[in-house]
Amino acid sequence: GEHESRAVGFGELHRRATGMLHHLQQRGARRGDALILFLQSNEHFIVAFGACMLGVIVPVPVAVGNTDEHRRKLLRIATPLGEPWVYADRKPFERIGAFAAALGGGAIERLEARTLFPDETLDRSAAGRPAAVEPQATAIIPFYTG
């Protein structure tokens, strides 16, 4: 935040990232899958990004906003990704759910089935299995939608 900071050492970050990777793998995420990061917390973002790097899961950062255009943006990004996973803060994702339900088409239901929330992944006692990285693997997909 503007007036607060938090330091996390590499050891703790690694423990939390492998714990997050465990949750992703338990749900079925595999190397090469896309994970939309729809988070307001920088700390959650960094842990999830680390989990992606360890598991060779492709992070797709999406800014959280309060307008219908921000809500539409997440749905537009999810479509070309096929069957992405989503790691999202609950309240903003619920607002998108209400918005998408009004639009119809069933897009949000497909995303909801593959969505994890930070409050569901707090137990980091089990570690995921890091994957071997290949030089040609995709590291990140930044979307710029206007």
Side-chain angles (χ1 to χ4, degrees), residues 48-110:
F49 193 88
C52 288
M53 295 295 102
L54 290 167
V56 192
I57 295 167
V58 184
V60 183
V62 177
V64 176
N66 293 321
T67 67
D68 284 350
E69 185 52 37
H70 281 100
R71 294 175 185 103
R72 208 174 274 112
K73 180 179 181 179
L74 178 76
L75 298 172
R76 278 197 317 261
I77 287 171
T79 301
L81 294 173
E83 295 289 326
W85 292 92
V86 179
Y87 188 50
D89 288 319
R90 193 175 293 278
K91 292 233 185 267
F93 190 78
E94 287 172 352
R95 284 193 291 269
I96 287 178
F99 174 78
L103 294 176
I108 197 67
E109 289 81 10
R110 289 188 298 278

Side-chain angles (χ1 to χ4, degrees), residues 1 12 17 23 28-29 37 41-42 51 64 74 86 88 98 106 116 124-125 131 135:
E12 176 65 10
H23 285 283
L37 301 176
S41 164
N42 290 335
V64 176
L74 178 76
V86 179
L116 294 91
R124 305 276 169 76
S125 58

Side-chain angles (χ1 to χ4, degrees), residues 31-32 50-57 129-139:
R31 100 180 351 266
C52 288
M53 295 295 102
L54 290 167
V56 192
I57 295 167
R129 294 173 316 280
V133 179
E134 298 165 351
Q136 71 276 13
T138 302

